[in-house]
Amino acid sequence: MSDKLPVLAITSGEPAGIGPDLCAALPEAGLPARLVVLGDRELITRRVLALKPGLEVVDYQPWLPRPEHALEVLHIPLRAPAQAGVLDAANGRYVLDILDRAIAGCKSGEFAGMVTAPVHKGIICEGGVEFSGHTEYLAEATHTPLVVMMLVGGGMRVALATTHLPLRAVPDAITRPLLTDVLRILHKDLRAHFGLPKPRILVAGLNPHAGEGGHMGREEIDVITPVLDTLRAEGMQLAGPLPADTLFVPHHLKNGDAVLAMYHDQGLPVLKHASFGGGVNVTLGLPIIRTSVDHGTALDLAGTAQADPGSLFAAVQLAITMALHRRARAC
């Protein structure tokens, strides 16, 4: 097994947002990896000079050793001039150029994984490209039929059975096949990327009090419990369905390595309360490693030196950990 540091692609995201600012802070974190920032070299240099005037920006040259105390940039040219805080639809395609290069590098093995700074979905769509988010874009680019969103932070890992759906659509979306596939992906990636040989997963019910024996809904009886029984017979360690209002107390959490929530706002408010600004979004089920910050583009903070890089640092550290676990399993 190689002792070399993992090489990670850091996508700088929306050029008018705080992504380039956050990237400028990376060398100060002292993270154990070779971090390659993907984006327009002039733009990133300009932000570095304004925010970290003593930091050197160098071109990424993979055949040379990692430079010390410098920011490595793989140049992806802007489609139009960029100004901090001012969106321009002409650069929607630039943001996707960055993603495409990072994906290609991960698929080829050039990069051990990718960490994404925030993008602005609306401005990409205004630029003429239908874009619903990083997760969907990565799934399509890697021909992955189903991916699972998981947030990590505050001592918790919380995965979602469904993501961005209207609440009235959630019960119909939670089917036995979907829940089975989501749990298999979660179980597989907790083993492969988090070093958990026998992951313990706490599964939330959908209804209040987990349906209370059918008096508050039958999804637990008709869908969730049969799936859990089948997967337990395959050897998975699954607890539930558990009432979501008490699942996140320490008594339950100490017995689990991850939580599966049934919908977005069932699981994420608790985790974000515990870790906002330092949480990490992970896309499970992909053939590549991808982590992300847990916040948006913060246009009002771009270029002001007020953006907090904590979530980016945490996302990079988690990507490093995942890459090392994957490397160890391959040896």
Side-chain angles (χ1 to χ4, degrees):
M1 180 173 68
S2 171
D3 292 326
K4 294 197 304 183
L5 294 175
V7 182
L8 298 178
I10 316 296
T11 66
S12 54
E14 166 55 49
I18 60 172
D21 303 13
L22 300 177
C23 291
L26 283 170
E28 72 187 35
L31 294 160
R34 184 170 188 170
L35 307 179
V36 182
V37 175
L38 276 61
D40 185 89
R41 192 183 193 282
E42 182 181 350
L43 165 71
I44 294 169
T45 301
R46 192 165 65 244
R47 295 286 185 91
V48 166
L49 290 174
L51 303 173
K52 307 285 180 182
L55 179 63
E56 183 183 7
V57 177
V58 300
D59 290 320
Y60 170 55
Q61 300 182 75
W63 56 89
L64 296 178
R66 178 182 67 145
E68 295 293 331
H69 311 298
L71 188 70
E72 280 193 282
V73 175
L74 195 165
H75 177 61
I76 309 289
L78 282 163
R79 296 295 184 104
Q83 180 180 343
V86 181
L87 293 170
D88 186 342
N91 275 322
R93 184 64 251 182
Y94 159 77
V95 173
L96 300 183
D97 291 342
I98 293 174
L99 288 179
D100 290 342
R101 179 62 179 86
I103 293 166
C106 288
K107 290 168 71 173
S108 72
E110 177 186 7
F111 302 128
M114 61 188 292
V115 180
T116 56
V119 301
H120 193 288
K121 299 176 189 176
I123 206 67
I124 295 174
C125 292
E126 285 184 30
V129 179
E130 288 298 323
F131 182 83
S132 54
H134 274 115
T135 302
E136 295 81 3
Y137 192 82
L138 290 166
E140 183 176 354
T142 58
H143 308 291
T144 305
L146 178 66
V147 294
V148 175
M149 178 189 293
M150 183 170 78
L151 274 290
V152 178
M156 293 176 279
R157 304 180 185 97
V158 180
L160 304 177
T162 63
T163 52
H164 301 123
L165 290 178
L167 194 55
R168 68 173 62 248
V170 170
D172 290 340
I174 298 174
T175 63
R176 290 192 191 187
L178 173 76
L179 195 55
T180 299
D181 289 345
V182 166
L183 279 164
R184 283 186 171 141
I185 289 170
L186 177 57
H187 182 267
K188 177 177 180 289
D189 278 11
L190 286 172
R191 295 184 66 208
H193 296 146
F194 290 83
L196 298 168
K198 295 181 178 180
R200 302 165 301 164
I201 301 172
L202 310 179
V203 180
L206 173 66
N207 297 295
H209 303 174
E212 206 162 275
H215 295 290
M216 292 190 182
R218 292 194 54 84
E219 285 81 6
E220 288 77 14
I221 295 171
D222 296 338
V223 178
I224 301 175
T225 297
V227 169
L228 300 188
D229 288 343
T230 297
L231 295 179
R232 287 187 190 111
E234 296 179 5
M236 290 191 196
Q237 296 190 46
L238 306 170
L242 300 169
D245 62 341
T246 55
L247 189 162
F248 290 97
V249 300
H251 170 72
H252 284 305
L253 290 177
K254 71 179 182 180
N255 296 315
D257 299 303
V259 171
L260 179 66
M262 291 297 111
Y263 56 94
H264 187 280
D265 283 12
Q266 183 186 57
L268 297 193
V270 178
L271 183 139
K272 290 192 175 185
H273 172 74
S275 67
F276 194 72
V280 182
N281 185 347
V282 186
T283 306
L284 304 179
L286 294 170
I288 63 177
I289 290 170
R290 181 260 174 161
T291 66
S292 178
V293 297
D294 68 348
H295 55 73
T297 54
L299 298 172
D300 57 323
L301 298 180
T304 68
Q306 296 180 37
D308 182 354
S311 182
L312 182 63
F313 292 171
V316 172
Q317 183 59 68
L318 183 57
I320 294 168
T321 300
M322 293 172 69
L324 292 177
H325 280 304
R326 172 178 276 191
R327 181 191 291 178
R329 286 176 62 88
C331 291

